[in-house]
Amino acid sequence: MKIKVTIKDVAKRSGVSISTVSRVLNNSKPVSPEIRQRVLEAIRETGYRPNLLARGLVLRKTNIIGIIVPDISNAYYSELVKGTEEISNMYNYSILLCNTYGELKKEMEYLNLLTEKQVDGIIFMTTNLTEEHVRWFKENDVKSVFVNRHIEGMDIPYVSIDNYNAAYDATNYLIELGHEKIAYIGGPLSDEILGMKRFEGYKQALYDAGIDFRQELVRVSKIGIKSGYEAMGDILDVHKDITAVFAANDIMAIGAVNCILDRGYKIPQDISVVGFDDIPFASIIRPALTTIRQPIYDIGAVAARMLIKKLNGEKLDEISVNLPYQLIERDTSAKAKKRRK
Amino acid sequence: MKIKVTIKDVAKRSGVSISTVSRVLNNSKPVSPEIRQRVLEAIRETGYRPNLLARGLVLRKTNIIGIIVPDISNAYYSELVKGTEEISNMYNYSILLCNTYGELKKEMEYLNLLTEKQVDGIIFMTTNLTEEHVRWFKENDVKSVFVNRHIEGMDIPYVSIDNYNAAYDATNYLIELGHEKIAYIGGPLSDEILGMKRFEGYKQALYDAGIDFRQELVRVSKIGIKSGYEAMGDILDVHKDITAVFAANDIMAIGAVNCILDRGYKIPQDISVVGFDDIPFASIIRPALTTIRQPIYDIGAVAARMLIKKLNGEKLDEISVNLPYQLIERDTSAKAKKRRK
């Protein structure tokens, strides 16, 4: 057990008072360059490490940002957290990671826990924003930034892409390739942004092209590769003549691709698939997935930057940031050809 | 801005002293059931939240575990962190996540930062354990658990699998399928466990089967899908007659699979591929990857459990835990057939 070096030891060695050492550490009041030099040397020599926990008490600052994610093992979120972590670190903040499996109970527990831990701010992600969340954020004065979510009437900044237009563009791309019988696979519609907005974009694109919307070509369920596989199977059981699928997230798109191949159809010759997100694996699977590219890393980075600006009392240029998206054409999409019914 | 409720407000409302409220909060001294009841009600009514930061100062405990990983967007680590997070949460610890890109400089910065933040303990992962790390852990009295790494002569617990034997088994499996010209692709050999141990297992299996080891069939480089792709390409440029590849991690195995397919070879008919790790995507790519299954989630969970035992002063049953591994046969491996030179 090493003996803990304290601020007293530093003061003694540098021949100044404790409060002078404190000034140097906290940049709280001016100190002459010569004294500063002496104190810094004494810190190095003694190996003194300021107790940030205690300092946090005084400054009411922990330099910790809490981040709440549905599933860190989902490639979308791990890429996003990487962006958050990198920017936070650059500004001397650390990341307290909270994994919720999208469960409301865990989300609420973590919100309370992070407040108790006195984190400086929270980056919040959920797949289902409820009244309970809204109430919590209204009742608790915690600096926060949302990702892909927004509470109407509250000035909590959020970062996202335009999910409605992106889904519209993805569907319209398939329509322009000549597809008409286009299935939709996606997450729950209770998820306003990742579910409903994308679903609405899909419907509107069909409508604008004069194609009838058919509920039986739609399957929504919990996001997962397996659920994407099963949703695709359900549709193919009945509708063997679909020529395209818009899967509103890459995870489910990859499940759908596997299901289509396992049933002996060719991609893209028989059925085209367009995903959404461009997770790292979208370009790695074969055939490589045509998809909507979200700047996932950037979303995490911008969320962190906005929160840190808030923490520093800087003015945000805008409360909401929609980052640009892009359709990436790869090997799962092609012109429609007539197929057997 | 809400007015902060303090312990004073709780004391006032419940008609007891501040120290009595503190006793209830910290379970430090006996309090009558009736008084406890009154205090807990007052806490609920006032919405008081104990300042864990201040409490941490008193108890010298933050209930935070620092976790240092090379790359959270790598599926291996995100799955592992999920296991760590879940177990930690179960025992009321939170996870401070530090992403290092495997860079020594960032690793050292984070080790110091976590100590300054007074985390209760550290779970440490690196792809390259150096003298500088060893020195740090010798000089700093921080409770730690290593994953896949071990410092000789120090009693820091670690969790891993038997990498040497697992690599031996993977190679031997290919030999038993009749393969003789078996390439090796893997991470840097400077990485003692994930590089060297696996490489040695490969060599020993060849040796035991009476197959000559050939350095020109070996490519090691930084772990990545692209580097796996390139390593495979380098080997195929010269050695078109290999019939199998042992890729010592799934990330590089997936790169190798893509390279082989892009060059027009069939898997497994022309070339068999065996990976290592069984990351979630190993079973999802087509053809699905034959690989060594590491219990990745469990490794993270056990590491967290061991650290928490240490933090509680409980005795560990053993300082090192090697979890069981398993060869999972999927679609990338088959009996060798004679191929053109």
Side-chain angles (χ1 to χ4, degrees):
Chain A
M1 194 74 133
K2 277 208 329 184
I3 290 162
K4 182 111 183 120
V5 178
T6 68
I7 195 166
K8 267 192 207 161
D9 302 311
V10 177
K12 204 170 158 194
R13 189 173 194 108
S14 52
V16 302
S17 69
I18 290 176
S19 66
T20 305
V21 177
S22 169
R23 281 184 203 174
V24 172
L25 285 171
N26 296 305
N27 271 319
S28 49
K29 284 188 192 173
V31 175
S32 79
E34 188 254 343
I35 299 262
R36 174 180 304 275
Q37 188 59 29
R38 241 160 65 199
V39 170
L40 290 177
E41 261 164 35
I43 288 173
R44 251 194 310 278
E45 286 161 11
T46 55
Y48 172 67
R49 220 171 261 138
N51 182 338
L52 291 189
L53 190 62
R55 204 202 291 183
L57 256 190
V58 177
L59 301 179
R60 290 216 150 278
K61 213 163 156 16
T62 52
N63 271 64
I64 296 177
I65 290 173
I67 180 161
I68 296 183
V69 291
D71 184 1
I72 189 64
S73 73
N74 173 326
Y76 179 82
Y77 293 110
S78 60
E79 180 76 9
L80 197 149
V81 167
K82 191 174 175 179
T84 307
E85 204 274 348
E86 186 144 293
I87 295 298
S88 301
N89 181 240
M90 199 182 289
Y91 288 92
N92 289 318
Y93 285 87
S94 303
I95 288 294
L96 209 55
L97 179 73
C98 306
N99 200 56
T100 63
Y101 296 91
E103 287 167 21
L104 175 64
K105 191 168 158 286
K106 285 200 95 179
E107 287 168 350
M108 300 314 297
E109 278 172 16
Y110 272 127
L111 284 170
N112 288 323
L113 179 77
L114 290 176
T115 319
E116 285 168 6
K117 296 259 184 208
Q118 314 264 314
V119 297
D120 291 343
I122 293 175
I123 294 175
F124 184 69
M125 283 170 257
T126 179
T127 51
N128 192 9
L129 190 66
T130 67
E131 276 307 309
E132 203 167 333
H133 295 108
V134 175
R135 203 175 320 125
W136 193 92
F137 280 98
K138 282 191 175 152
E139 284 175 3
N140 288 274
D141 183 39
V142 177
K143 293 200 169 63
S144 311
V145 168
F146 283 10
V147 174
N148 291 329
R149 290 296 176 283
H150 174 55
I151 298 179
E152 284 299 331
M154 285 194 74
D155 63 348
I156 299 176
Y158 65 99
V159 187
S160 189
I161 65 162
D162 185 333
N163 285 282
Y164 173 86
N165 276 320
Y168 184 100
D169 289 355
T171 310
N172 198 48
Y173 162 77
L174 287 168
I175 294 168
E176 286 181 350
L177 286 173
H179 297 280
E180 294 189 357
K181 207 159 174 187
I182 303 169
Y184 177 93
I185 292 176
L189 299 183
S190 57
D191 180 339
E192 196 211 327
I193 307 289
L194 309 190
M196 190 52 93
K197 286 270 185 242
R198 293 180 188 176
F199 180 56
E200 281 173 355
Y202 159 80
K203 280 208 292 192
Q204 189 64 40
L206 293 182
Y207 181 83
D208 288 353
I211 299 171
D212 284 341
F213 165 73
R214 296 170 58 187
Q215 187 65 47
E216 66 267 30
L217 298 184
V218 173
R219 281 292 177 289
V220 295
S221 56
K222 195 166 154 54
I223 295 172
I225 285 173
K226 197 160 160 264
S227 67
Y229 191 100
E230 289 166 357
M232 192 71 253
D234 285 352
I235 295 172
L236 285 175
D237 281 345
V238 182
H239 304 280
K240 300 194 194 316
D241 58 338
I242 61 156
T243 65
V245 185
F246 169 46
N249 58 76
D250 282 353
I251 300 280
M252 293 178 86
I254 290 169
V257 164
N258 283 348
C259 174
I260 292 167
L261 296 177
D262 284 356
R263 291 190 177 215
Y265 298 102
K266 287 199 175 63
I267 297 175
Q269 295 87 337
D270 298 328
I271 299 176
S272 286
V273 180
V274 175
F276 199 113
D277 289 339
D278 200 28
I279 59 173
F281 267 95
S283 57
I284 286 153
I285 60 157
R286 298 302 158 99
L289 188 66
T290 295
T291 191
I292 295 286
R293 172 176 293 169
Q294 286 205 55
I296 306 175
Y297 178 96
D298 293 352
I299 290 175
V302 168
R305 188 66 193 99
M306 285 174 89
L307 182 57
I308 291 164
K309 277 194 175 180
K310 260 187 98 164
L311 299 182
N312 292 341
E314 293 172 47
K315 205 177 133 42
L316 295 181
D317 300 327
E318 37 193 355
I319 185 111
S320 75
V321 174
N322 265 335
L323 293 175
Y325 63 87
Q326 196 184 350
L327 182 85
I328 307 290
E329 273 192 276
R330 296 203 184 96
D331 305 331
T332 57
S333 53
K335 278 210 168 112
K337 60 173 188 189
K338 291 284 167 223
R339 300 245 331 278
R340 69 193 177 291
K341 294 274 166 188
Chain B
M1 192 76 131
K2 275 208 331 182
I3 289 162
K4 181 109 183 125
V5 177
T6 69
I7 194 166
K8 265 192 209 162
D9 302 313
V10 177
K12 204 169 158 193
R13 190 174 194 106
S14 51
V16 302
S17 68
I18 289 177
S19 66
T20 304
V21 177
S22 170
R23 281 184 203 175
V24 172
L25 285 172
N26 296 305
N27 270 320
S28 50
K29 284 189 190 171
V31 175
S32 79
E34 186 254 343
I35 299 263
R36 174 179 304 276
Q37 190 56 32
R38 240 158 69 199
V39 170
L40 291 176
E41 261 165 34
I43 288 173
R44 250 193 312 277
E45 286 160 11
T46 55
Y48 172 67
R49 222 172 261 141
N51 182 339
L52 291 188
L53 190 62
R55 204 202 291 185
L57 255 190
V58 176
L59 301 179
R60 290 215 148 279
K61 214 164 156 16
T62 52
N63 272 60
I64 297 177
I65 290 172
I67 182 160
I68 297 184
V69 290
D71 184 1
I72 189 64
S73 72
N74 172 326
Y76 179 83
Y77 293 109
S78 59
E79 179 75 8
L80 198 150
V81 167
K82 190 174 175 179
T84 307
E85 205 274 348
E86 186 144 295
I87 294 298
S88 302
N89 181 240
M90 198 182 291
Y91 288 91
N92 290 317
Y93 286 87
S94 304
I95 289 294
L96 209 55
L97 179 74
C98 307
N99 200 56
T100 63
Y101 296 91
E103 286 168 22
L104 175 63
K105 191 168 157 286
K106 284 199 97 179
E107 287 169 351
M108 301 314 297
E109 277 172 16
Y110 272 127
L111 283 170
N112 288 322
L113 178 76
L114 289 176
T115 319
E116 284 168 6
K117 296 259 184 207
Q118 312 264 317
V119 296
D120 292 343
I122 293 176
I123 294 175
F124 184 69
M125 282 170 256
T126 178
T127 51
N128 193 7
L129 190 66
T130 67
E131 276 307 308
E132 203 167 333
H133 295 109
V134 174
R135 204 176 318 125
W136 193 92
F137 280 99
K138 283 189 175 154
E139 283 175 2
N140 288 275
D141 183 41
V142 176
K143 294 201 169 62
S144 310
V145 168
F146 282 11
V147 173
N148 291 330
R149 290 296 175 284
H150 173 55
I151 299 179
E152 283 299 329
M154 284 194 75
D155 63 347
I156 298 177
Y158 65 99
V159 188
S160 189
I161 64 161
D162 185 333
N163 286 281
Y164 173 86
N165 276 320
Y168 184 99
D169 289 354
T171 311
N172 199 48
Y173 161 77
L174 287 168
I175 293 169
E176 286 180 351
L177 286 173
H179 297 281
E180 294 190 355
K181 210 161 174 187
I182 303 169
Y184 176 93
I185 292 175
L189 300 183
S190 58
D191 180 339
E192 197 210 327
I193 307 289
L194 308 190
M196 190 51 94
K197 286 271 187 240
R198 294 180 188 175
F199 180 56
E200 281 173 356
Y202 158 80
K203 280 207 293 189
Q204 189 63 40
L206 293 182
Y207 182 84
D208 289 352
I211 299 171
D212 284 342
F213 165 73
R214 294 168 61 186
Q215 187 66 50
E216 67 266 31
L217 298 184
V218 174
R219 281 293 177 288
V220 295
S221 57
K222 195 167 153 57
I223 295 172
I225 285 173
K226 198 159 159 263
S227 68
Y229 191 100
E230 289 166 356
M232 193 72 254
D234 285 352
I235 296 173
L236 286 175
D237 281 346
V238 182
H239 304 279
K240 299 194 196 313
D241 58 338
I242 60 157
T243 65
V245 185
F246 169 46
N249 59 75
D250 283 352
I251 300 280
M252 293 178 86
I254 290 169
V257 163
N258 283 349
C259 174
I260 292 167
L261 296 177
D262 284 356
R263 291 190 177 215
Y265 298 101
K266 287 200 175 64
I267 296 176
Q269 295 87 337
D270 297 328
I271 300 177
S272 286
V273 180
V274 175
F276 199 113
D277 289 338
D278 200 29
I279 59 173
F281 267 96
S283 57
I284 286 153
I285 60 158
R286 298 300 157 100
L289 189 66
T290 295
T291 191
I292 294 287
R293 172 175 293 168
Q294 286 206 55
I296 306 175
Y297 177 94
D298 293 352
I299 290 174
V302 168
R305 187 67 194 97
M306 287 175 88
L307 182 57
I308 291 164
K309 277 194 174 181
K310 261 187 96 165
L311 299 182
N312 292 341
E314 294 173 46
K315 205 177 132 44
L316 295 180
D317 300 327
E318 36 193 354
I319 185 112
S320 74
V321 174
N322 266 334
L323 293 174
Y325 63 87
Q326 197 184 351
L327 181 85
I328 307 289
E329 273 192 276
R330 295 201 184 95
D331 305 330
T332 57
S333 54
K335 280 213 167 111
K337 62 174 187 189
K338 290 287 167 222
R339 299 244 330 279
R340 70 191 177 290
K341 295 275 166 182

